[in-house]
Amino acid sequence: MTNPSSNESAFKAIYEACEEGIIVVRKSGIIRMANKAAHQIFGYDASELEGKTIENLIPVSLRDKHVDNRQNYMKQPEPRRMGAGRDLLAVRKSKEEFPVEISLNVAELNGEKHVIAYVIDISKRKKVERALKKSEEQLILYASQLEKRVKERTEELEKQIIVTQKAEKEAKTALERERELNELKSRFVSIASHEFRTPLSTILSSSSLIAKYNTQEGAQEKRLRHIDKIKSSISNLNGILNDFLSLSKLEEGKLDIDVCEVNLVDACKEVIEELSSIIKPGQQIKFQCKGHPQSIQADPKIIKNIVINLTSNAIKYSEKDIHVGLDFEREDEICICIIDHGMGIPEDDQKHLFERFFRAKNAINVQGTGLGLNIVKKYVEMLGGAIKFKSELDKGTEFHVTFPKN
Ligand code: ADP
């Protein structure tokens, strides 16, 4: 059998060696005994705690509440585990408050119930936890700042990319325009040298013949015929030059549009009048207007240019009568149509008709530059309209230019 007093001293040694503070408290709240660790934790000298109330170890502001808690606990004491989800505050002799973890147990000593409190000073752990939390917060802050910076930089880069792409596109367009203008100029030189030859030689021969007809009989009639030839050649030359000028203005974006109210009936009649000098013998331009005439908002010069181009083509590519019509009866649009019964356009060529310098294969023997329709399409679109055509080889061609009403 073991000697009780040796057991007691063994327990005492274990009790003193324990790293947790152990405080044994009477029902009245007086500390009966506290081990070495408890004294160290709370900053008291050996045995100094004994005889003091446990509230000495509680921060002043919590003491009253603690008395209530302690008394309630004694009514129904049950073990309470360490931690148990609560951070408690204790106070050292130096009045410094610090966090502790406490577990409670009840034991009967000499017939009296005592509460045994096991205390761990968790201030170091809390400090580490706080430092960890702080660095975690710092990390989160850095991460969000980094994210923000990355987002800002990405946005900046995206903007820069857009600017660069825009500049690149502009440079490409400028280069393309430059190339097209150069091409236009060189095409002009070759077309001019070819297309100018016929009207210029007509002018030359007609004017020298006029000189010869001076005294002959019937000279006046012949003279007038040659004057007509000269006029038509000059108008031909004029047409070619105008096409080049319009195209280079369009290409360079230098075309000024003066919008005003345009009376389409008057505009068509003026064009028919102007072109009467170049119609072929036996050819007539007939005008027809369907519905109640309305004016449109457009540039009158451009409208006339469109009608001149299409009507002079109809004259050029046919021998029979030409019909210029206006249709105001459609619901949403106004239509200008120019119809001829001439050579028509081969089906294969039709898809290229509005391309610059394009000439159909059956038009080789007719003078032309292949610019007129390209310009007309650009003009029509500039005014918000549309152009369509129907053509059958050797039967004739119809052009329909439409503008929205209002
Ligand atoms: P150009 O008449 O100076 O050649 P356009 O651009 O006006 O140039 O016309 C392009 C081509 O379209 C013409 O060369 C011709 O082949 C064809 N074309 C245009 N209008 C008609 C038409 N009324 N009848 C037949 N072919 C036409």
Side-chain angles (χ1 to χ4, degrees):
M1 249 180 75
T2 341
N3 181 349
S5 75
S6 79
N7 264 351
E8 203 174 303
S9 62
F11 285 135
K12 180 99 175 135
I14 294 167
Y15 164 76
E16 285 300 349
C18 195
E19 278 193 29
E20 285 179 11
I22 303 172
I23 303 171
V24 182
V25 185
R26 288 180 194 280
K27 212 174 157 187
S28 59
I30 302 288
I31 297 169
R32 176 166 168 182
M33 53 198 278
N35 71 349
K36 199 171 148 197
H39 281 88
Q40 277 169 355
I41 289 171
F42 289 94
Y44 287 87
D45 294 334
S47 307
E48 204 183 341
L49 279 174
E50 283 143 27
K52 292 194 185 322
T53 59
I54 187 73
E55 275 73 33
N56 278 286
L57 308 182
I58 309 289
V60 179
S61 59
L62 303 173
R63 277 181 195 167
D64 287 349
K65 201 159 173 244
H66 188 263
V67 172
D68 292 345
N69 289 348
R70 174 164 56 77
Q71 283 163 357
N72 285 337
Y73 181 76
M74 283 315 280
K75 281 181 204 154
Q76 256 182 332
E78 55 182 27
R80 194 175 284 167
R81 270 187 310 110
M82 192 69 82
R86 279 180 308 167
D87 283 346
L88 300 171
L89 269 184
V91 67
R92 294 190 219 277
K93 190 180 174 187
S94 62
K95 306 230 170 7
E96 179 203 351
E97 292 184 6
F98 66 107
V100 285
E101 249 179 29
I102 291 177
S103 75
L104 299 177
N105 233 324
V106 181
E108 237 177 76
L109 303 172
N110 307 333
E112 188 194 336
K113 270 189 184 157
H114 285 72
V115 175
I116 306 167
Y118 301 89
V119 184
I120 305 174
D121 179 350
I122 56 168
S123 37
K124 275 194 192 135
R125 199 217 297 163
K126 283 282 166 198
K127 210 168 155 187
V128 172
E129 274 175 13
R130 271 200 304 277
L132 262 172
K133 192 155 182 266
K134 205 171 160 196
S135 38
E136 196 183 329
E137 281 168 3
Q138 200 73 39
L139 261 174
I140 291 170
L141 187 72
Y142 285 154
S144 79
Q145 280 172 347
L146 195 71
E147 202 179 341
K148 202 169 150 228
R149 284 278 301 144
V150 169
K151 206 171 154 220
E152 281 169 3
R153 275 300 286 154
T154 314
E155 276 170 11
E156 262 170 46
L157 278 173
E158 275 169 0
K159 273 188 203 149
Q160 270 172 17
I161 289 172
I162 291 172
V163 171
T164 319
Q165 279 174 343
K166 201 171 155 224
E168 225 171 80
K169 208 172 153 198
E170 278 169 6
K172 224 170 151 186
T173 317
L175 212 73
E176 184 70 6
R177 185 170 283 173
E178 181 80 20
R179 200 185 57 75
E180 284 185 3
L181 275 175
N182 280 339
E183 187 200 302
L184 192 67
K185 279 175 197 156
S186 54
R187 287 293 278 269
F188 172 72
V189 173
S190 75
I191 286 176
S193 58
H194 183 254
E195 295 296 312
F196 279 26
R197 200 165 289 153
T198 320
L200 283 175
S201 56
T202 308
I203 292 168
L204 191 68
S205 65
S206 287
S207 47
S208 49
L209 283 171
I210 286 171
K212 278 191 195 157
Y213 294 143
N214 241 354
T215 52
Q216 284 171 18
E217 201 177 319
Q220 182 59 3
E221 198 188 313
K222 286 178 183 167
R223 204 179 290 130
L224 288 178
R225 216 176 56 231
H226 283 290
I227 287 172
D228 274 350
K229 275 191 179 177
I230 291 173
K231 272 193 201 162
S232 140
S233 298
I234 290 174
S235 118
N236 205 345
L237 287 173
N238 229 356
I240 299 172
L241 280 173
N242 277 341
D243 280 356
F244 275 104
L245 280 177
S246 308
L247 200 63
S248 56
K249 271 189 188 162
L250 273 168
E251 294 293 327
E252 287 174 65
K254 282 187 186 155
L255 198 83
D256 295 325
I257 306 184
D258 295 320
V259 176
C260 63
E261 203 145 289
V262 182
N263 181 325
L264 288 177
V265 175
D266 289 351
C268 286
K269 284 185 175 165
E270 277 167 35
V271 171
I272 294 171
E273 175 68 32
E274 277 172 38
L275 295 182
S276 63
S277 63
I278 63 156
I279 51 172
K280 294 175 182 162
Q283 224 176 21
Q284 265 187 48
I285 307 176
K286 295 186 171 163
F287 177 68
Q288 199 194 7
C289 177
K290 273 209 269 180
H292 182 68
Q294 284 175 32
S295 44
I296 60 165
Q297 291 294 322
D299 184 320
K301 283 197 304 304
I302 295 181
I303 291 285
K304 273 182 77 176
N305 202 308
I306 293 168
V307 184
I308 288 177
N309 244 304
L310 296 175
T311 314
S312 57
N313 271 355
I315 295 172
K316 226 168 33 164
Y317 297 110
S318 77
E319 308 298 325
K320 298 184 189 149
D321 289 349
I322 291 142
H323 299 267
V324 174
L326 283 172
D327 182 356
F328 294 101
E329 278 178 350
R330 300 183 186 190
E331 199 176 336
D332 306 318
E333 54 184 25
I334 291 168
C335 179
I336 308 172
C337 46
I338 288 108
I339 304 168
D340 69 58
H341 303 284
M343 63 170 65
I345 302 156
E347 215 180 312
D348 282 357
D349 288 342
Q350 292 187 6
K351 55 181 174 296
H352 302 293
L353 209 67
F354 294 107
E355 287 169 18
R356 200 199 288 175
F357 298 115
F358 180 79
R359 307 207 65 221
K361 47 186 162 296
N362 60 341
I364 302 298
N365 296 324
V366 185
Q367 273 212 314
T369 57
L371 288 178
L373 287 182
N374 180 264
I375 295 170
V376 165
K377 189 166 167 36
K378 282 182 176 147
Y379 277 161
V380 171
E381 284 169 359
M382 246 166 70
L383 296 178
I387 181 164
K388 285 189 194 141
F389 69 94
K390 271 195 282 190
S391 184
E392 211 178 317
L393 199 60
D394 299 325
K395 292 248 166 77
T397 307
E398 287 185 21
F399 278 92
H400 293 251
V401 175
T402 51
F403 293 108
K405 280 186 176 170
N406 309 319

